[in-house]
C-alpha cells in the first residue's frame, strides 16, 4: 500500500474493492484502474461498429414487448 500498488475501484453493482495496480512503473501519466463493465454495457457501441445495417441493429437492440 505504501508504494501505491493497491488501488480502490468502485463498481456500481459489486461495490468498492481493492485491486493490484500496475506490475511496473508506466510513466508520469500512470495506470488508471477501472471497473469491469456491467452486463450489456458496451453492446450498442460494439454492434454499431460492426457494420450491421441500421434496421438490423434496431431489431436486435429493441426491447421485447411483454
Amino acid at each position: 500500500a505504501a508504494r501505491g500498488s493497491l488501488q480502490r475501484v468502485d463498481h456500481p453493482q459489486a461495490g468498492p474493492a481493492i485491486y493490484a495496480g500496475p506490475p511496473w512503473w508506466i510513466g508520469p501519466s500512470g495506470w488508471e484502474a477501472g471497473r469491469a463493465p456491467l452486463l450489456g454495457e458496451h453492446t450498442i457501441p460494439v454492434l454499431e461498429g460492426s457494420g450491421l445495417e441500421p434496421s438490423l441493429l434496431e431489431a436486435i437492440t429493441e426491447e421485447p414487448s411483454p
Side-chain angles (χ1 to χ4, degrees):
R3 289 187 229 145
S5 63
L6 301 176
Q7 299 178 358
R8 177 189 165 115
V9 176
D10 291 319
H11 192 276
Q13 290 184 341
I18 303 296
Y19 291 97
W24 56 84
W25 189 74
I26 297 182
S29 61
W31 171 286
E32 190 171 321
R35 64 173 179 80
L38 299 173
L39 182 62
E41 182 175 357
H42 299 116
T43 300
I44 301 297
V46 168
L47 289 175
E48 287 174 343
S50 70
L52 290 176
E53 295 290 326
S55 59
L56 182 57
L57 178 61
E58 187 176 319
I60 291 172
T61 58
E62 75 180 27
E63 293 290 322
S65 42

